[in-house]
Amino acid sequence: MITCPQCKHQEPEGAFFCSECGARLIRLNGLQTHSIQHPEKPQTAEWEVERRPATGTDPLKAASVVPEKIPEDATIYLRVLPSGEFIPLQGQTEFTIGRTSKGQSILPDVDLSPFDAYAKGVSRLHAALRLENGELSLMDLGSVNGTYINKTKIPPNMYRRVQPGDIISLGKLSIQITLE
Amino acid sequence: MTPQDYYQTLGLPRDATADEIRTAYREAARRLHPDLNPGDKEAAEQFLLVQRAYEILSDAAARAKYDATLPSEIENVDFEVVYSRPVLPAISEAQLVYALLTFTAPPAARNLPPPPLNLCLVIDRSTSMGGRRMDVVKSTTIELLRQLKPEDRLSIVTFSDRAEVILSGAQAGHFQQIASDIHMMRAGGGTEIYRGLEAGYKEVLRYATPKHINHIILITDGRTYGDEERSILLAHQARQHNIGISGLGIGDEWNDVFLDKLATTTGGSTMFVEHSERIKSFLDEKFSALSQAYAHQVKYQYSGGHGAQLQYAFRLRPDVMPIEQEGNTLLLGQIPVDGSLQVLMEFLVHPTAQGQQRVYLAQGQVSMEIPLRPDPQVVAPLRLSRKIGESGPITDPPKNIVQALSQITLYRLQHRVQEDIASGNIEDATRRLQNLATHLLAQGQSQLARTVLKEANQLQHTQALSAKGQKHIKYGTRSLLLPARIEDSTP
Ligand SMILES: [Zn+2]
């Protein structure tokens, strides 16, 4: 039996996807996914993201070459998983993401406290999301538990390109970038 | 006479192992040995064939050379099966294996004239079809008439609470009169699909020949009440005569489960258009798909192998439809002249026995009608099996299987949602919709994802999906599997 990392449902050997929640159960080496470059698998985020083949062939370049520009009139939302609540990002081009606690002087633009952020290992100022020339990028701000893009850990203090549909994990809290 | 097929002689699949070849040979040789069958000429001949087969197949180099000369297992069709695993591990628990069957017309088929069509449009003219919908149907029908080839036949039936034959087996020409008859169609009355189907069925049956592609296209925007069962029975009758039924549902109110059932029973397809503007392109598409059929009524009659059970079958090409299991027959659909019929099957393999070398997933025969052949019917044995043993180095599963599954999974999630709701399990349904939305967003399907989330919200308030949202999600997730995406399934 295979246990789905996402919902713990049991699937028979040989299954590729969880029939309960749709999560992918297999690791693919030759196929294009975002987990290819870094085989070490973080324990925290279990979301698999599969791109359609049309988005490029070289997985190493996938994150930097493929993405389309984000239209100027689009609103970006962060969708908190698994509850699915949307947090709109408006009025700025750069947002810090984190949680709040008593006596904190610098507050994050996006406060994830209502989503169990503390228990899930989100730092006070965990990451920053920037929109520039229609491109979104994400930087880990030296957080304790790290930041992951589609299960791949990113180094701190460096912007990494992200795009709508990507799943970002701050510690164990996952959010998906969506566009309206 | 066709040359000897060594595999058939020994009753083996083409990927038989050396062990299997040896075992099969010993068994056959023992059975046919001249000492045991004195004076039996047939046995003696068989014995020689078995010897010859073993000579070739037991020699790796000779076997490879021989394999390269093997024709497709199905006459007049290129055929290929790909499995999700080359070898199944011997394990004491159940496991899944996928088979992707691809049937392709031979290249020469492209130069052949298209088979003649014998179609009937069965058009709902109930009150709700009035106005724009009816206008589009009329103008499209007249245009289709102009495209008829000399041997084609077109019938038109309209129905509300009764049916009317507007056109019976018309052939090319005589457009003026027909066009004015079509213009006379008026909307009014209820929707009784059985009446329309029955009249349409009679028309198609009247002109049906083995040379024709015989098909009914039902166009409706409403629900029928109380005559679903009779309609399905009629569909079974149609199937007996190789008549397919496809449904075109317009708007939100039609009964998708019912139309899907008519289609899966007969090897047809169901299409969904929200706006009347799209009716034309969908009918055009269906018309050209039908006239490009190389083979139709492709069926797989199988007896389940002892070792495995078919869980589901899903057609991926030329159109996307779940395939229903009817007894032991799968009606797979049609093979287009310039493309493929592709079907994905999921098998649950039972725990393997000690020393078991191969598991038979399904065995039986494929049959189909190829109208252009002097004898249209083609039948070929088809056995799906996998070796059991040590799996070699771990390789990625075939990409096309993974890709198809990633999307079938979404379609099936959607289906689970319907089941959850039907059994009052709103919480599970909501969670599943949220998962579905996440996967859709990850695949870049943000519009469909939004529809899904809207419905998840609606579900919590009303304990049900909206008729419109439900159809968008069903046909939207289904159309993810189409090679060229049809953009209608978004609001
Ligand atoms: Zn799961």
Side-chain angles (χ1 to χ4, degrees):
Chain A
M1 292 292 236
I2 305 171
T3 303
C4 170
Q6 196 56 48
C7 73
K8 308 293 171 225
H9 185 255
Q10 300 255 306
E11 293 288 341
E13 206 58 43
F16 289 178
F17 292 88
C18 173
S19 64
E20 271 296 308
C21 72
R24 194 167 68 203
L25 304 171
I26 44 157
R27 308 242 299 144
L28 301 171
N29 298 311
L31 290 185
Q32 183 188 354
T33 70
H34 284 256
S35 49
I36 307 162
Q37 306 97 298
H38 302 276
E40 77 274 6
K41 194 173 172 184
Q43 296 301 305
T44 48
E46 298 292 358
W47 293 84
E48 283 276 8
V49 172
E50 187 174 343
R51 304 246 157 261
R52 276 189 268 121
T55 54
T57 48
D58 185 350
L60 293 167
K61 288 182 186 160
S64 56
V65 180
V66 182
E68 288 166 31
K69 293 265 184 209
I70 291 168
E72 279 181 25
D73 55 351
T75 306
I76 299 157
Y77 286 82
L78 295 181
R79 182 166 169 252
V80 184
L81 300 168
S83 69
E85 265 165 276
F86 285 95
I87 304 170
L89 303 181
Q90 279 165 318
Q92 287 166 245
T93 54
E94 183 153 2
F95 301 84
T96 51
I97 308 172
R99 64 176 168 87
T100 51
S101 63
K102 263 186 203 153
Q104 189 177 334
S105 53
I106 309 169
L107 299 176
D109 298 314
V110 179
D111 179 11
L112 296 172
S113 305
F115 307 103
D116 223 9
Y118 175 73
K120 290 186 169 167
V122 179
S123 298
R124 292 193 182 94
L125 283 181
H126 196 116
L129 190 66
R130 181 179 70 181
L131 178 63
E132 195 178 53
N133 304 326
E135 295 181 2
L136 270 176
S137 35
L138 181 76
M139 179 162 70
D140 177 82
L141 300 170
S143 68
V144 177
N145 294 308
T147 300
Y148 301 80
I149 300 173
N150 300 321
K151 300 177 73 173
T152 300
K153 190 169 185 171
I154 58 170
N157 304 315
M158 270 172 67
Y159 272 109
R160 276 299 172 97
R161 183 84 190 265
V162 286
Q163 49 182 318
D166 281 349
I167 293 171
I168 297 171
S169 305
L170 311 174
K172 286 184 182 173
L173 183 67
S174 291
I175 49 183
Q176 187 173 30
I177 302 173
T178 73
L179 219 54
E180 182 79 36
Chain B
M1 202 196 132
T2 48
Q4 184 192 0
D5 181 327
Y6 298 137
Y7 292 102
Q8 268 178 29
T9 304
L10 291 174
L12 289 169
R14 289 187 182 179
D15 65 340
T17 59
D19 271 352
E20 285 174 313
I21 293 170
R22 214 166 13 248
T23 312
Y25 165 69
R26 284 202 194 120
E27 190 278 325
R30 243 196 314 270
R31 189 163 40 82
L32 298 165
H33 200 280
D35 293 353
L36 286 177
N37 303 276
D40 186 340
K41 257 185 95 182
E42 208 177 308
E45 269 168 36
Q46 271 293 317
F47 185 71
L48 285 177
L49 289 178
V50 165
Q51 297 281 9
R52 173 86 187 127
Y54 182 65
E55 223 165 84
I56 300 295
L57 297 185
S58 60
D59 174 342
R63 180 180 176 189
K65 217 166 129 194
Y66 169 70
D67 282 354
T69 67
L70 281 174
S72 166
E73 283 164 285
I74 304 170
E75 207 182 339
N76 292 106
V77 174
D78 293 338
F79 176 67
E80 183 192 57
V81 193
V82 176
Y83 296 90
S84 55
R85 284 188 166 183
V87 177
L88 299 186
I91 49 175
S92 56
E93 55 179 282
Q95 58 182 312
L96 291 176
V97 62
Y98 297 89
L100 183 65
L101 282 58
T102 308
F103 304 80
T104 310
R110 279 173 215 210
N111 306 322
L112 298 170
L117 303 176
N118 168 31
L119 301 186
C120 182
L121 297 179
V122 175
I123 302 168
D124 183 348
R125 61 170 193 85
S126 62
T127 313
S128 57
M129 280 290 289
R132 183 89 188 110
R133 285 178 183 171
M134 197 45 122
D135 287 346
V136 176
V137 170
K138 281 182 194 174
S139 61
T140 309
T141 308
I142 291 171
E143 207 172 303
L144 292 180
L145 263 172
R146 291 188 208 286
Q147 297 172 15
L148 290 185
K149 302 180 300 295
E151 280 185 89
D152 290 347
R153 287 191 177 271
L154 182 70
S155 305
I156 297 175
V157 165
T158 63
F159 70 96
S160 52
D161 19 44
R162 60 199 172 79
E164 218 174 324
V165 178
I166 303 280
L167 202 60
S168 176
Q171 293 183 289
H174 325 294
F175 294 129
Q176 296 313 323
Q177 179 55 40
I178 296 170
S180 76
D181 285 349
I182 290 171
H183 275 301
M184 293 295 286
M185 295 186 328
R186 292 281 174 273
T191 303
E192 287 189 35
I193 288 180
Y194 177 74
R195 305 218 176 264
L197 271 187
E198 187 194 28
Y201 169 67
K202 282 184 181 154
E203 288 305 314
V204 172
L205 194 57
R206 179 176 306 168
Y207 303 103
T209 74
K211 293 274 158 213
H212 279 82
I213 302 282
N214 308 301
H215 210 90
I216 296 168
I217 301 174
L218 170 66
I219 303 168
T220 181
D221 71 345
R223 278 177 182 270
T224 190
Y225 291 99
D227 57 358
E228 288 96 338
E229 224 162 283
R230 273 203 292 171
S231 304
I232 302 295
L233 281 176
L234 188 72
H236 280 280
Q237 236 171 304
R239 174 188 182 136
Q240 298 301 320
H241 291 97
N242 289 342
I243 297 172
I245 302 177
S246 287
L248 173 64
I250 305 170
D252 311 328
E253 294 306 318
W254 55 282
N255 183 342
D256 53 304
V257 177
F258 170 61
L259 250 62
D260 273 357
K261 178 84 182 153
L262 288 177
T264 51
T265 302
T266 58
S269 61
T270 325
M271 297 161 282
F272 163 43
V273 295
E274 184 172 17
H275 305 291
S276 14
E277 286 66 38
R278 303 285 308 188
I279 295 174
K280 184 178 159 5
S281 64
F282 273 78
L283 276 179
D284 276 350
E285 214 171 277
K286 185 71 204 171
F287 226 71
S288 76
L290 285 170
S291 54
Q292 277 165 19
Y294 168 70
H296 65 126
Q297 299 288 323
V298 181
K299 291 176 195 164
Y300 184 30
Q301 275 172 295
Y302 67 99
S303 61
H306 303 292
Q309 193 182 350
L310 176 65
Q311 306 276 90
Y312 66 80
F314 214 98
R315 182 165 70 229
L316 306 171
R317 307 270 183 281
D319 58 345
V320 179
M321 282 288 280
I323 293 172
E324 213 162 309
Q325 302 177 47
E326 289 239 344
N328 278 331
T329 304
L330 296 173
L331 187 44
L332 305 180
Q334 66 176 43
I335 306 173
V337 157
D338 56 352
S340 299
L341 165 66
Q342 202 169 55
V343 175
L344 186 80
M345 299 162 106
E346 182 187 275
F347 292 96
L348 185 67
V349 179
H350 307 317
T352 51
Q354 191 102 50
Q356 190 179 342
Q357 291 193 347
R358 181 174 287 274
V359 60
Y360 288 96
L361 306 170
Q363 29 199 340
Q365 60 176 32
V366 168
S367 65
M368 64 187 73
E369 304 282 323
I370 302 180
L372 294 168
R373 270 171 48 108
D375 171 14
Q377 203 179 43
V378 171
V379 181
L382 175 63
R383 208 147 59 154
L384 302 176
S385 71
R386 281 295 71 191
K387 286 181 254 192
I388 292 175
E390 297 285 316
S391 52
I394 294 172
T395 51
D396 274 354
K399 194 171 173 173
N400 42 6
I401 292 188
V402 179
Q403 243 142 24
L405 278 174
S406 80
Q407 284 156 349
I408 289 177
T409 303
L410 298 191
Y411 178 78
R412 288 171 65 82
L413 268 187
Q414 164 280 137
H415 188 74
R416 294 286 294 275
V417 170
Q418 316 281 354
E419 290 175 343
D420 287 339
I421 295 173
S423 57
N425 204 342
I426 302 303
E427 202 181 308
D428 279 354
T430 309
R431 185 173 40 78
R432 245 189 269 282
L433 282 173
Q434 281 164 351
N435 282 331
L436 179 58
T438 303
H439 295 302
L440 286 169
L441 284 168
Q443 294 191 8
Q445 301 289 332
S446 53
Q447 280 207 317
L448 188 54
R450 264 204 299 280
T451 306
V452 171
L453 288 170
K454 220 170 87 196
E455 291 299 318
N457 205 13
Q458 158 114 3
L459 181 61
Q460 286 181 313
H461 292 112
T462 64
Q463 319 287 298
L465 304 183
S466 74
K468 179 175 166 175
Q470 183 259 332
K471 287 195 179 64
H472 273 300
I473 296 171
K474 178 176 186 177
Y475 293 92
T477 48
R478 201 183 273 185
S479 71
L480 291 178
L481 287 148
L482 285 174
R485 265 151 238 275
I486 292 168
E487 295 299 337
D488 190 69
S489 44
T490 44

